[in-house]
Amino acid sequence: MERLLRGSRLLLKLQRRPRRVHKGSDGGRRGLPSAREPAPEVACARPSQAPGTMPRRLQPRGAGTKGPPAASAAASEAASRPHPSGDPAASARPLLRWDEVPDDFVECFILSGYRRLPCTAQECLASVLKPTNETLNFWTHFIPLLLFLSKFCRLFFLSGRDVPFHHPWLLPLWCYASGVLLTFAMSCTAHVFSCLSLRLRAAFFYLDYASISYYGFGSTVAYYYYLLPGLSLLDARVMTPYVQQRLGWHVDCTRLIAAYRALVLPVAFVLAVACTVACCKSRTDWCSYPFALRTFVFIMPLSMACPIMLESWLFDLRGENPTLFVHFYRRYFWLVVAAFFNVSKIPERIHPGLFDIIGHSHQLFHIFTFLSIYDQVYYVEEGLRQFLKAPPAAPTFSGTVGYMLLLVLCLGLVIKKFLNNSEFCSKKAPKKGDLEAGETGGRVFCSCLVKWALPFQKEISTVRLLKRVDEFENKK
């Protein structure tokens, strides 16, 4: 406890200590206003706390929100103030640090590489070729987007099958392909244009969460028509004698299997909407572990693939369908690795500031999610081949595209509700006993630094983390 208290005191000293700068030829700060002159107001600057105002952590909370309305309104107004579009100095302005951006932009253990707010659409597009902390977040999903686009074009138009691309047998594949492509496209859009304004940042990431839910439901539709009919687990002629021989139960599995088939798509639909609501809520409320929450809720739709896992345990799936067995389990291995990086924030947790541009956890998360979807596309394609050999029943428009259109409508209503109710203030609130009032993005970052370091105090002490931040400050 004494060690933690000493670490907190070091945090306060770190925030109060003036930043070291290099002096230019004129004796002033290089690239910054003179220390004796009042600093000009910039678009993303945090407004200072007026004298005599109540400390931030003691301010009353507004009805229906968990944030300090006065501070958040001032920050949002300052952040959303447009800059002169024709100002060449504005477009050439360097990247920002974590204490120079609004709280909602600060990522744990990412110290530099932040783009200024607001940017124009042209500046956002130009930033994908510059070394920012969002550049590789874009490319690690844009390149897979192009790969999957070419893959699905070959499947629909150049496969050499007698089935045309508009045949009802391919409707589940259209649903699945739209989910995969939309997920990668929305992720690229959110990471590129997230600095247009605070409201648009929230809107883009809400759409990103909705696209992931859309993809999860599209995967379930493809499973339902292409993979589940070929499982012995869902064949009453196989399961009824199996249960009688193994368990001694005289149960007719016909009704149970029929009930499961009838509930798969409705349950997956409800999960998709619920996951989107939970993820959007994690951005508006003060969620202590938003990345863990989002990772958990998006694992829930994966339960729709449980029959394939049970099939491998109860029957010889490896011998009957080796392609499905290998790629299915390899896909879930990639997903576990991706979830680990997304929640643990390794490696930037170990050395804050070193992985700001290249190698931080979100980039690794993108890479391993791409590998998981690549394996999934492979065994869905194999399931399509088996389905076309002896299709049990033609998929209906209402059971495929109709479901997807209804899901789009519901997800759109969810996003609209959150955009109307959000005040776009920081979701990271200082708790009682944390840092002093008037915290900027830097103080929120440091409190986050200490909080995330506590479970790993044996390997990485709080003092060592503060020393990393101090070294980064001195270099600047």
Side-chain angles (χ1 to χ4, degrees):
M1 181 59 71
E2 292 180 0
R3 189 178 185 182
L4 181 59
L5 291 176
R6 288 197 301 270
S8 300
R9 295 191 190 101
L10 285 174
L11 280 174
L12 296 178
K13 292 180 181 179
L14 175 64
Q15 295 301 317
R16 293 171 178 172
R17 187 170 56 218
R19 182 179 165 191
R20 296 186 184 178
V21 297
H22 298 282
K23 292 186 177 181
S25 59
D26 57 349
R29 296 185 176 186
R30 182 184 302 172
L32 294 175
S34 174
R36 299 181 179 179
E37 298 177 0
E41 186 175 359
V42 294
C44 62
R46 177 74 56 186
S48 59
Q49 185 177 353
T53 57
M54 186 179 298
R56 178 176 178 179
R57 61 184 172 89
L58 299 179
Q59 290 179 356
R61 297 177 179 176
T65 64
K66 297 183 179 181
S72 63
S76 299
E77 181 181 358
S80 60
R81 186 177 295 115
H83 61 276
S85 57
D87 185 7
S91 59
R93 192 173 299 169
L95 299 176
L96 305 179
R97 297 163 53 257
W98 40 267
D99 56 351
E100 299 172 324
V101 296
D103 292 356
D104 193 56
F105 280 68
V106 178
E107 300 290 343
C108 286
F109 309 105
I110 303 298
L111 305 183
S112 63
Y114 293 96
R115 298 172 293 178
R116 60 188 179 84
L117 178 74
C119 288
T120 64
Q122 293 82 357
E123 290 171 339
C124 291
L125 290 174
S127 68
V128 302
L129 300 177
K130 299 178 181 178
T132 73
N133 55 27
E134 292 284 9
T135 300
L136 287 184
N137 288 340
F138 167 79
W139 287 107
T140 50
H141 267 181
F142 183 72
I143 294 175
L145 172 63
L146 298 180
L147 293 176
F148 285 124
L149 184 60
S150 63
K151 175 70 173 178
F152 288 122
C153 286
R154 290 195 301 269
L155 282 177
F156 284 114
F157 306 108
L158 304 175
S159 61
R161 291 188 298 264
D162 296 332
V163 180
F165 69 91
H166 54 79
H167 197 280
W169 289 349
L170 297 183
L171 287 177
L173 184 61
W174 277 108
C175 296
Y176 174 69
S178 65
V180 172
L181 298 178
L182 184 63
T183 298
F184 286 103
M186 283 311 309
S187 175
C188 294
T189 303
H191 285 294
V192 172
F193 296 105
S194 60
C195 60
L196 287 174
S197 68
L198 289 174
R199 181 178 179 83
L200 287 177
R201 175 183 173 85
F204 282 131
F205 279 105
Y206 290 162
L207 289 171
D208 189 20
Y209 304 146
S211 67
I212 297 175
S213 296
Y214 180 91
Y215 153 73
F217 184 75
S219 301
T220 304
V221 172
Y223 285 6
Y224 182 80
Y225 288 102
Y226 295 153
L227 298 177
L228 298 187
L231 300 181
S232 301
L233 185 69
L234 298 179
D235 189 349
R237 296 169 298 180
V238 176
M239 285 303 299
T240 298
Y242 181 88
V243 171
Q244 292 177 356
Q245 293 175 5
R246 292 295 184 93
L247 303 177
W249 297 349
H250 296 279
V251 179
D252 187 6
C253 298
T254 304
R255 292 184 178 180
L256 294 176
I257 294 175
Y260 175 81
R261 289 181 178 275
L263 292 175
V264 167
L265 293 181
V267 171
F269 186 94
V270 173
L271 282 177
V273 177
C275 289
T276 305
V277 171
C279 288
C280 292
K281 196 171 181 62
S282 72
R283 291 196 72 88
T284 56
D285 290 347
W286 287 343
C287 180
S288 299
Y289 302 98
F291 297 102
L293 173 63
R294 294 166 199 164
T295 303
F296 171 75
V297 298
F298 283 126
I299 288 176
M300 293 171 59
L302 300 179
S303 60
M304 297 293 103
C306 284
I308 300 177
M309 189 174 298
L310 293 175
E311 177 84 7
S312 66
W313 294 348
L314 301 178
F315 301 95
D316 186 18
L317 180 63
R318 187 170 187 174
E320 296 176 357
N321 194 340
T323 300
L324 176 59
F325 179 85
V326 172
H327 289 276
F328 177 80
Y329 277 102
R330 194 166 67 182
R331 158 179 160 77
Y332 279 87
F333 171 76
W334 298 135
L335 285 176
V336 170
V337 176
F340 166 77
F341 283 113
N342 194 41
V343 175
S344 67
K345 296 300 170 187
I346 291 175
E348 65 266 22
R349 173 200 296 277
I350 300 174
H351 199 310
L354 180 62
F355 303 97
D356 292 350
I357 308 300
I358 300 176
H360 61 76
S361 61
H362 199 76
Q363 298 166 4
L364 299 176
F365 168 73
H366 277 195
I367 292 172
F368 287 108
T369 52
F370 155 67
L371 293 175
S372 71
I373 295 177
Y374 182 83
D375 276 323
Q376 186 187 40
V377 170
Y378 198 92
Y379 65 74
V380 167
E381 182 183 0
E382 181 64 23
L384 173 63
R385 293 195 189 100
Q386 300 297 329
F387 174 84
L388 293 178
K389 290 180 181 178
T396 62
F397 183 86
S398 60
T400 54
V401 179
Y403 262 120
M404 303 300 287
L405 294 177
L406 182 60
L407 180 62
V408 169
L409 177 61
C410 293
L411 296 179
L413 293 176
V414 170
I415 294 174
K416 181 180 178 181
K417 176 179 175 61
F418 277 96
L419 285 177
N420 291 338
N421 294 341
S422 297
E423 294 188 4
F424 308 107
C425 59
S426 171
K427 66 177 179 293
K428 300 172 185 175
K431 297 181 180 179
K432 186 175 182 180
D434 281 349
L435 300 179
E436 291 183 348
E439 292 182 272
T440 63
R443 292 199 177 194
V444 172
F445 172 85
C446 289
S447 62
C448 180
L449 201 67
V450 173
K451 178 184 68 176
W452 279 87
L454 291 180
F456 297 87
Q457 247 184 340
K458 293 183 179 179
E459 295 82 3
I460 312 165
S461 67
T462 304
V463 176
R464 180 182 171 188
L465 288 174
L466 293 175
K467 188 178 296 183
R468 296 294 188 190
V469 177
D470 194 19
E471 292 174 356
F472 184 83
E473 288 282 336
N474 295 336
K475 290 179 182 179
K476 290 292 184 180

